[in-house]
Amino acid sequence: MNKLHKDLSNAIRFLSIDAVQKANSGHPGMPLGMADVGVSLYKNFLKVSNENPDWINRDRFVLSAGHGSMLLYSLLHLNGFDLSIDEIKNFRQLNSKTPGHPEVDVSLGIDTTTGPLGQGFAMGVGFAVAERYLSALLGEDIINHFTFGIVSDGDLMEGVSFEAAELAAVWKLGKIIYFFDDNNISIDGSVDKVSVTDQKEKFESIGWHVLEIDGHNEKEIIKSVENAKKIEDKPTLIIAKSMIGKFAPNKQNTSGVHGSPLGSEEMKKFLENLDWSGDPFIHDDDIYEYFNEKRQQDNEDYKKWEERFNKKYKEDEKFKCDWELLNTKDFGISERVSSENNASRILGSKILKQFSELTNSIIGGSADLAASTKQIIDQDSFSSNNYQGRNIEFGIREHAMGAITNGITLHSNLIGYASTFLVFSDYMRPSIRLASLMNINSVFIFTHDSIYLGEDGPTHQPVEHLMSLRLIPNVDVIRPSNSIEIEHSYRYAFSDSKNPKVLSLTRQDLDYLDFDIKYEDFVKGGYAVSDGEDFTIVASGSELEIAFKIKEALLEYSVRIVSVPILNRISKMKNEDKKALLKNERIFSIELGRSIGWEHYLGSLTKSFSIETFGESAPIIDLEKNFKFDVSSLTKEIIKYLN
């Protein structure tokens, strides 16, 4: 190991452990163990520009083991990104640029890291999907980069990583190179107490290229990456045998160095072990100059790429058109969908088909349910034989589908979408929550959105899901009713609003409701679709049809109907606007799900008609009667409150 590499690796260790010590919080063990890998990657391989950190053709680096974030912060600081030594000292402090788990900040050089283990592994697969798709679309001269990552024992134990790993192998994503930090220690102790998996055999069995190295040997690290880059048809896992907490004499190779500071005594011994004196935050110029040559080369490569891009944009009309389509941020509807009775999943599929002709920036698919959800963007499927296909067949892998979708959306200009039944959104909740934390535009299209999917029964019938998804901050849950709302729903769902959207669609056919609404009003979340003075019914999606039938059944009353396709956005309304919207003193909400939460959005309600138990296996007509959601039962209940 050359001396400067050794000095840099130790500088990373000093910065990392001192930041953790100063914060009195954090995970020092992983940075101490993976410093050599991190230095080797940034010095020899990672194509990243500190002058243009959002370069679309940069290599991506995924710190899936996000608890070791000080490793990344230290590397970015020493590589000239916008992370000062003061920010390093402010690790885990309020409003600093160095939180405990950074989700994403491209301006700082952070592509993504994860708190929920396994998510980063899978999002990296999404990066690689996006790279292959864009490379096929725009050309290898414009898009041609690798996705590197560091993954931990915890990442590989989580099932989401294996789901994504198998897909990466099926799609032959050879530009994925992950280092597995093989230290055999987790928070509760030795990993072999809870895992007997031979990771080499596991990954080889599904088609990965696997190497084993000493994670502290610079030459082996460099040689392994050079080897991996030659394998074009298989993703690579480099099993790097490492020692967690290396050089901490009493805590190295123990769980005690995983999730807490070294402590003053151990810190003192650690520094003595490495023959260090002075302030661990202060380092000589040669440390700060170590990465300069590589970053200067990368910045020059960016300039050459920019010249190449500008020349192609000027001279190649197809490339210019494709690039401009990628950057389209608002998709209008070129042709109105039919006003006939139909399921909202069917009408939605027609909108998605229109979008496929208006843009090339949407790519996604379903978890083996395209025949049921109908959410197909392209007849050509993404595969190792056709990376330009936009329809992704995820197989029955909802966990990985959600995370890969986020990776696609994080990559650059693309918007990824994922589709399955609403009840299976439970499998995707960590991904939806992360999408919200990262302020990205991922779209989750869920169909079969109530107990009225019928005979499949309560395991497939969502009851608590709509409200539970609305509880996630920054997620907009959209339930359209008629074709106009469906058009607006898809337009908003795929807009650049900097937040994820959930589309909730029906399996069953809906009656066409004859009202129109402007897009600008739709995105406010709610509006009156029929006026009345005696009482107000508030509903969304399929239940809006019920509201109109109640109005027809109670002609002696003047009934106001308010559609709330994006109920959670109502909470952003001013109180006076909300009162004007609801208008009447007696207000009823109708939703085929749990009622809890409606008063939070609307204020005091006269009555919420809801489903508070699990569903039943039966035809819709029997379910309506059983749960007293037929029009006759509902009108009788409402009349009780009117007299």
Side-chain angles (χ1 to χ4, degrees), residues 344-355:
S344 54
R345 62 176 174 144
I346 302 295
L347 294 176
S349 72
K350 295 178 181 180
I351 303 298
L352 196 59
K353 185 176 185 300
Q354 285 193 41
F355 283 179

Side-chain angles (χ1 to χ4, degrees), residues 19-38:
V20 171
Q21 189 71 20
K22 187 174 186 296
N24 196 30
S25 174
H27 298 255
M30 184 274 210
L32 296 182
M34 292 302 283
D36 296 302
V37 167

